[in-house]
């Protein structure tokens, strides 16, 4: 059965991208032209065709394996078995936070902005990581928001509460902007960014070579972004998945943060299947840093295969 996805006005949905884009001969035959990781541990550079991409560490958090975040409704033993099966500690769950920067000539596109001050010491390293990459905040021309949770929009403002990236146009799905404006906890950020926000419909080209993809279930306007250059492409999948082992191997397990759990489950299951079948190159903001890799399938089991070893 075809999982549920919103049919966007432009007719472009996750399924079409992963099937249509992932199966091209050109893509299968061209290995990604990855460069060696940068010396700085919070800055990892790689290529998407002729574009430079930079994974920028913002932070990370570790929470107990108590079924309150991942595997909601399962037992801690269920979740621990999956974690330990992958060589991870069974009593805790670790998630990273790493926005992605795309450089296309003079255009610098930042996808999500990390937590800023929203989560205390858990996040907020993005400005330092950008500086380590040699990029000033006012060089950012475009910001693409996957969704309006604090670990993605907290970094839109600086410690003084002002725009952290004063020249950037901030783009997000129209449904997400409506959702964000209704969130009283985000009012101070909404008030500051409103003059800079432009909204789009799913399927829109939001920057040259970058297309917004509706990946439903996490929030009302949750968007992935497909970045294409030449024969290479990357899908920034936002919070379609959170954990590189639990979310990939058990997409049917509920995650606390999903707004619509059944739809989010369907999105994860579709992403697993179509990414594995299509050899889709993926970027996950919460997978172990730098979050770049593929999903493979062996029998019924899906696994995350990082392109650059986690650090
Ligand atoms: Zn998140």
């Amino acid at each position: 059965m075809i999982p549920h996805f919103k049919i966007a006005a432009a007719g472009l949905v996750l399924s079409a991208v992963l099937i249509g884009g992932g199966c091209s001969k050109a893509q299968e035959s061209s290995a990604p032209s990855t460069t060696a990781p940068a010396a700085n541990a919070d800055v990892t550079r790689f290529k998407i065709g002729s574009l430079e991409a930079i994974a920028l560490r913002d932070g990370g958090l570790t929470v107990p394996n108590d079924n309150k975040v991942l595997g909601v409704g399962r037992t801690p033993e269920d979740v621990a078995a999956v974690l330990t099966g992958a060589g991870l500690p069974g009593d805790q769950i670790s998630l990273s936070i790493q926005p992605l920067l795309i450089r296309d000539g003079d255009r610098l596109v930042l996808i999500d902005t990390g937590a800023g001050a929203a989560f205390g010491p858990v996040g907020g390293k993005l400005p330092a990581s950008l500086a380590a990459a040699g990029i000033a905040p006012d060089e950012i021309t475009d910001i693409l928001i996957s969704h309006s949770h604090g670990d993605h929009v907290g970094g839109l403002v600086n410690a003084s509460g002002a725009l952290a990236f004063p020249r950037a146009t901030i783009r997000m799905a129209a449904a997400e902007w409506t959702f964000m404006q209704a969130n009283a906890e985000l009012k101070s950020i909404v008030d500051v960014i409103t003059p800079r926000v432009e909204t789009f419909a799913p399927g829109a080209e939001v920057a040259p070579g970058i297309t917004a993809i509706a990946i439903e279930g996490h929030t009302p306007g949750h968007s992935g972004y497909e970045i294409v250059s030449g024969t290479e492409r990357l899908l920034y999948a936002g919070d379609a998945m959170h954990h590189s082992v639990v979310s990939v191997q058990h997409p049917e397990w509920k995650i606390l943060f999903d707004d619509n759990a059944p739809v989010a489950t369907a999105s994860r299951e579709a992403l697993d299947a179509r990414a594995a079948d299509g050899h889709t190159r993926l970027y996950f903001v919460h997978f172990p840093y730098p979050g770049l890799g593929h999903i493979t399938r062996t029998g019924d089991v899906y696994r995350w295969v990082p392109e650059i070893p986690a650090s």
Side-chain angles (χ1 to χ4, degrees):
M1 180 176 172
I2 301 297
H4 175 73
F5 288 107
K6 178 179 289 182
I7 304 301
L12 185 57
V13 294
L14 173 65
S15 56
V17 169
L18 292 179
I19 292 174
C23 293
S24 72
K25 286 293 179 195
Q27 189 194 12
E28 287 181 2
S29 60
S30 63
S33 50
T34 305
T35 56
N40 187 291
D42 299 331
V43 176
T44 299
R45 301 175 192 273
F46 59 97
K47 300 286 283 188
I48 308 167
S50 63
L51 303 176
E52 180 186 28
I54 310 177
L56 297 161
R57 194 193 304 268
D58 184 65
L61 71 162
T62 297
V63 298
N65 169 22
D66 57 6
N67 302 110
K68 292 179 180 171
V69 176
L70 291 180
V72 177
R74 311 294 302 194
T75 69
E77 290 75 21
D78 287 341
V79 177
V82 175
L83 293 168
T84 57
L88 297 174
D91 60 349
Q92 63 186 36
I93 292 165
S94 294
L95 302 176
S96 182
I97 306 174
Q98 58 255 348
L100 178 65
L101 185 103
I102 306 293
R103 186 197 299 272
D104 183 3
D106 292 336
R107 195 159 195 155
L108 269 67
V109 181
L110 180 63
I111 309 182
D112 286 332
T113 62
F119 292 172
V122 161
K125 290 181 69 174
L126 176 64
S129 297
L130 266 176
I135 296 168
D138 64 3
E139 291 183 80
I140 304 295
T141 57
D142 304 78
I143 294 173
L144 307 178
I145 295 296
S146 65
H147 66 293
S148 59
H149 285 163
D151 52 325
H152 300 258
V153 297
L156 284 168
V157 295
N158 60 24
S160 305
L163 284 171
F165 307 99
R167 287 186 55 233
T169 299
I170 301 164
R171 305 179 198 277
M172 71 181 84
E176 194 65 23
W177 180 228
T178 299
F179 178 62
M180 184 172 180
Q181 289 173 293
N183 186 342
E185 293 182 2
L186 297 176
K187 185 177 186 312
S188 61
I189 297 178
V190 166
D191 287 348
V192 169
I193 70 172
T194 293
R196 307 297 304 177
V197 171
E198 292 186 6
T199 62
F200 56 77
E205 185 173 44
V206 292
I210 304 180
T211 302
I213 310 295
I215 306 178
E216 288 198 311
H218 189 56
T219 60
H222 180 259
S223 299
Y225 295 99
E226 189 190 44
I227 304 127
V228 178
S229 176
T231 60
E232 295 187 10
R233 60 188 65 221
L234 175 79
L235 177 63
Y236 180 100
D239 279 16
M241 295 185 181
H242 289 76
H243 195 276
S244 64
V245 175
V246 177
S247 302
V248 173
Q249 294 188 19
H250 287 281
E252 76 281 13
W253 286 5
K254 183 179 177 182
I255 294 174
L256 172 68
F257 315 115
D258 286 339
D259 182 62
N260 186 327
V263 173
T265 291
S267 292
R268 275 191 297 278
E269 290 174 336
L271 183 57
D272 255 350
R274 292 168 181 169
D277 292 345
H279 311 287
T280 307
R281 196 182 190 201
L282 297 163
Y283 187 95
F284 284 102
V285 64
H286 294 311
F287 281 18
Y289 184 85
L292 175 69
H294 294 78
I295 289 172
T296 63
R297 171 163 47 193
T298 306
D300 295 334
V301 179
Y302 293 99
R303 292 193 194 287
W304 173 247
V305 180
E307 189 174 308
I308 299 171
S311 61

